[in-house]
Amino acid sequence: MDAGMEDFVAERVDLVSAEALGAADGLGERATLVQFSSAFCQPCRATRRTLSEVAAMVDGVAHIEIDAEEHLALVRELGVTGTPSVLVLDAEGRIVKRATGQPRKPDVIAALGLAIA
């Protein structure tokens, strides 16, 4: 299932720290793309590729991938309901957008634009 722009829903203000995500290098300077994946999730591979490409295109943007099965408490805390799920965080770690399913690159770029605006 592709996650179109309509699937990237606005999120209430929740802060997510680098520590909570297990991100040793911290969050992105401008924004962070957080991907929840699982081992046998075929769309997760394509999502990884898309998010990595977008993060490489934009300075200060990090891509963090989290194994949902190994981090069930975080999955529950953040309301992740399936894989792949993507959270777009601003520089402070606020969740700006979220989507479940394989996102298209233009939709990720548009959602990222809201985080770095």
Side-chain angles (χ1 to χ4, degrees):
M1 174 181 172
D2 284 349
M5 193 59 208
E6 63 277 359
D7 295 324
F8 269 99
V9 296
E11 183 62 33
R12 68 187 191 287
V13 180
D14 282 341
L15 286 175
V16 181
S17 69
E19 296 79 27
L21 297 175
D25 294 334
L27 300 178
E29 185 179 310
R30 297 175 69 197
T32 304
L33 301 170
V34 179
Q35 174 185 349
F36 286 88
S37 299
S38 55
F40 299 104
C41 168
Q42 190 66 20
C44 293
R45 294 181 187 131
T47 299
R48 177 183 314 116
R49 200 169 33 253
T50 299
L51 297 183
S52 293
E53 288 172 4
V54 171
M57 289 172 30
V58 183
D59 288 338
V61 174
H63 170 223
I64 299 170
E65 186 171 3
I66 298 170
D67 185 325
E69 296 169 4
E70 292 181 11
H71 297 88
L72 289 176
L74 182 61
V75 164
R76 290 183 188 108
E77 180 182 338
L78 295 176
V80 172
T81 59
T83 59
S85 284
V86 178
L87 305 179
V88 180
L89 310 181
D90 67 10
E92 286 77 41
R94 282 187 294 270
I95 301 171
V96 177
K97 294 281 193 174
R98 71 167 59 219
T100 300
Q102 183 180 332
R104 298 176 307 183
K105 187 184 282 188
D107 296 326
V108 174
I109 293 168
L112 188 57
L114 296 172
I116 62 177

